[in-house]
Amino acid sequence: MALPDGFLWGGALAANQVEGAWKDGGRGPAVTDVNTYKPKADPKQYAVHHVNTLESIQAAMADPDELTYYPKRRGIDFYHRYPEDLALFAEMGFKVLRVSIAWTRLYPTGEELEPNEEGVQHYVDFFTEMRRLGIEPLVTLAHYDPPLHLALKNNAWADRSILPLFERFVRTCFERFGHLVTKWLSFNEIDGIIRHPFTSGGIIEETVEGSVEQACYAALHHQFVAGARATQLLHELYPDSQMGCMLTMLTTYPNTCHPDDVAATQEKERMLFLCTDVQAGGAYPRLALKALERRGVEIPFEEGDIELLREHPADFISFSYYMSLTESVNPEAERTPGNTILGVKNPFLASSEWGWQIDPVGLRISLIELYDRYEKPLFIVENGLGMRDEVDADGAIHDPYRIDYFRAHFEEMIRAVDEGVDLLGYTSWAPIDSISASTSQITKRYGFIHVDMDDLGRGTMERRRKDSFFWYQKVIASNGADLS
């Protein structure tokens, strides 16, 4: 078993979790800038979205201690330190780095008519340095950072008026960076807007008129339309470039073979694949529409939407995969957290400290299921293990648990390719310690590279190579042949 020549090995980052410098270079506030560090929450609470109120948002923006409890504002200072970090990625042998562009670096409120040139130049310099090091950019246009201004004004993605504003941002990205970037993603984990409306869609629930669920699906539809329009625009400007969509792959098994558990799992899977059916398949599936109709949700189609979705589907499908879950109709079944979701605990799997169940075989199942369903090239753009790491007295960081996690997942990934899956590449989440999306911690560490900083921002920011750094370096050099 072997991976194809040209397989893209690398890592994945998000601007809102690593850049920091939240007021530098003309950047405006994004919704993630008001999310606080959650040091004492039960892990199960991480999987249930935090409701941001107008009061909490206003308090966050007025807090004189503007960095300590708002870790995404400081990130890991990637904005200033990216040359050092890119050099470490190149040392590992990265072929690709997935990153995102902060909308508010280019358009601070989202409503400006012209881009912030300092923000544009930052990304030109950044992508140029990546190319110099032989690292191909894979760029996400929207990764959990709508402008806070648009959230406060009209719930951002819930209002269709956001479409021309986002298109202006997208056009700027293509026109100014298109000569450096050939692979793009539209929306990170686009299905997440149903689970965390504020972070993904800028929806402030208390200000929604009517049903929050209706607002979320309206926002999701607007993102579908925006993604299709971005794909159309990219192909017009750069015919050889590609646009991918991205799904949170929440692989779910029936908890038992009881038919009711199987039916509940089938229903959950149908709604999981709704987003990819629309973005890669070009149309809403009939059964999903019927399910939404029964819940009182109406998709706000306007003239031209159906044709736009049909004529401009994504070129490839990317997805995140961290864990699997099970489903049961038994209300007493024990539930455990996963990636922004709760599911019934699988007794056959081990769990991380944060309750995420470790299932390498589930990655192979996911790859085969996605490819069998859509027959489009796939790209694993997030996969990793969040753990606490200890720094020895000599500065060494031994993380065999992380190596074991990746090794097992790579073995299953290679098996899926051997079975015929067309897989473009793999980017780990995250190659360097970053601020957690759900808890805003950094002590929940994912990286091959350690960042000397604690959850309150104290530390030197020094970068250190973990044992897993050298192991992944060897894996990339052998194109996955040496996993020892």
Side-chain angles (χ1 to χ4, degrees):
M1 296 187 293
L3 293 170
D5 293 340
F7 187 80
L8 294 172
W9 289 98
L13 303 170
N16 75 86
Q17 292 171 255
V18 296
E19 281 189 356
W22 79 301
K23 291 183 176 179
D24 291 6
R27 180 188 180 279
V31 297
T32 46
D33 294 322
V34 300
N35 287 342
T36 59
Y37 166 48
K38 305 175 184 66
K40 296 180 180 179
D42 183 282
K44 289 184 180 180
Q45 294 178 9
Y46 304 156
V48 180
H49 78 267
H50 175 71
V51 177
N52 295 78
T53 64
L54 282 173
E55 182 180 4
S56 70
I57 293 168
Q58 291 163 356
M61 293 305 293
D63 193 336
D65 186 0
E66 65 175 33
L67 295 181
T68 302
Y69 298 104
Y70 306 94
K72 293 190 178 73
R73 298 180 183 183
R74 49 182 155 82
I76 59 168
D77 199 28
F78 189 72
Y79 179 80
H80 297 110
R81 294 172 178 258
Y82 74 81
E84 171 190 357
D85 293 337
L86 290 180
L88 287 167
F89 299 154
E91 183 182 337
M92 266 191 287
F94 277 21
K95 313 300 181 187
V96 64
L97 180 66
R98 179 190 169 212
V99 295
S100 66
I101 294 172
W103 185 351
T104 56
R105 283 209 188 279
L106 303 192
Y107 292 89
T109 69
E111 292 192 303
E112 291 81 6
L113 297 179
E114 298 295 332
N116 167 33
E117 288 298 332
E118 191 169 351
V120 170
Q121 191 59 49
H122 168 75
Y123 288 112
V124 169
D125 295 343
F126 175 50
F127 296 136
T128 299
E129 180 65 4
M130 285 178 64
R131 286 291 185 185
R132 187 187 73 81
L133 292 169
I135 301 173
E136 182 172 357
L138 171 63
V139 179
T140 310
L141 290 165
H143 194 134
Y144 293 170
D145 58 358
L148 183 61
H149 169 76
L150 297 181
L152 291 167
K153 181 178 181 180
N154 53 15
N155 284 313
W157 282 102
D159 194 295
R160 196 175 175 105
S161 63
I162 199 172
L163 290 179
L165 305 180
F166 185 70
E167 182 172 333
R168 182 182 299 144
F169 162 70
V170 168
R171 181 179 288 276
T172 297
C173 290
F174 293 162
E175 291 179 346
R176 306 298 286 272
F177 316 133
H179 63 296
L180 296 167
V181 180
T182 62
K183 289 184 174 60
W184 301 82
L185 301 179
S186 52
F187 291 87
N188 176 72
E189 296 183 334
I190 191 169
D191 49 288
I193 200 167
I194 308 303
R195 299 186 299 278
H196 36 79
F198 181 72
T199 299
S200 186
I203 298 172
I204 304 169
E205 296 183 33
E206 69 182 277
T207 67
V208 169
E209 294 183 8
S211 160
V212 171
E213 185 179 35
Q214 172 64 46
C216 288
Y217 278 99
L220 180 62
H221 177 71
H222 297 152
Q223 290 186 347
F224 288 157
V225 172
R229 174 59 183 144
T231 304
Q232 179 185 27
L233 185 60
L234 178 66
H235 291 163
E236 289 172 357
L237 295 173
Y238 291 94
D240 294 330
S241 292
Q242 293 182 309
M243 178 68 72
C245 62
M246 187 190 169
L247 173 71
T248 316
M249 194 60 190
L250 301 170
T251 300
T252 305
Y253 314 129
N255 188 246
T256 72
C257 56
H258 192 291
D260 287 345
D261 280 359
V262 176
T265 306
Q266 184 183 54
E267 174 66 18
K268 191 170 185 178
E269 185 179 67
R270 179 179 301 126
M271 299 312 294
L272 168 68
F273 287 127
L274 162 66
C275 293
T276 325
D277 288 342
V278 175
Q279 292 181 288
Y284 279 84
R286 175 181 171 83
L287 295 182
L289 282 175
K290 189 66 177 178
L292 291 174
E293 179 186 324
R294 289 196 301 270
R295 281 152 45 184
V297 173
E298 181 180 353
I299 304 301
F301 290 104
E302 291 199 4
E303 184 177 357
D305 287 359
I306 292 174
E307 292 77 14
L308 184 68
L309 296 175
R310 183 181 64 243
E311 294 169 9
H312 302 285
D315 299 308
F316 63 94
I317 298 167
S318 73
F319 65 97
S320 61
Y321 176 86
Y322 294 93
M323 43 13 90
S324 65
L325 303 161
T326 77
E327 189 53 80
S328 175
V329 295
N330 177 8
E332 303 301 320
E334 181 184 0
R335 293 191 174 262
T336 189
N339 184 12
T340 68
I341 195 170
L342 287 173
V344 177
K345 190 171 185 178
N346 189 331
F348 298 100
L349 299 176
S351 301
S352 75
E353 178 183 344
W354 280 268
W356 296 26
Q357 298 207 273
I358 299 170
D359 182 13
V361 175
L363 177 58
R364 172 161 53 99
I365 291 170
S366 301
L367 284 162
I368 291 171
E369 187 168 19
L370 282 169
Y371 192 66
D372 189 41
R373 187 180 182 105
Y374 299 107
E375 292 191 343
K376 285 199 170 191
L378 304 180
F379 208 130
I380 303 168
V381 293
E382 286 186 31
N383 172 242
L385 178 67
M387 295 287 283
R388 297 182 193 272
D389 293 327
E390 297 295 332
V391 181
D392 289 354
D394 63 357
I397 303 161
H398 305 297
D399 56 344
Y401 39 84
R402 186 167 290 112
I403 293 171
D404 290 344
Y405 177 95
F406 283 117
R407 179 187 294 115
H409 283 77
F410 292 168
E411 288 172 349
E412 298 298 334
M413 176 181 79
I414 293 169
R415 287 191 178 109
V417 172
D418 189 57
E419 290 191 35
V421 170
D422 182 2
L423 186 62
L424 300 173
Y426 172 96
T427 57
S428 72
W429 186 272
I432 186 169
D433 294 343
S434 61
I435 306 301
S436 168
S438 56
T439 66
S440 291
Q441 292 174 288
I442 195 170
T443 48
K444 182 185 182 186
R445 298 180 183 272
Y446 284 86
F448 304 117
I449 300 164
H450 182 273
V451 177
D452 180 34
M453 183 174 69
D454 69 9
D455 288 334
L456 298 180
R458 297 169 299 199
T460 65
M461 290 276 193
E462 179 186 357
R463 275 56 166 157
R464 292 189 181 97
R465 299 164 182 82
K466 304 177 188 179
D467 286 356
S468 57
F469 178 102
F470 302 103
W471 180 82
Y472 195 41
Q473 183 184 58
K474 178 179 63 175
V475 170
I476 295 173
S478 69
N479 198 26
D482 186 355
L483 301 179
S484 62

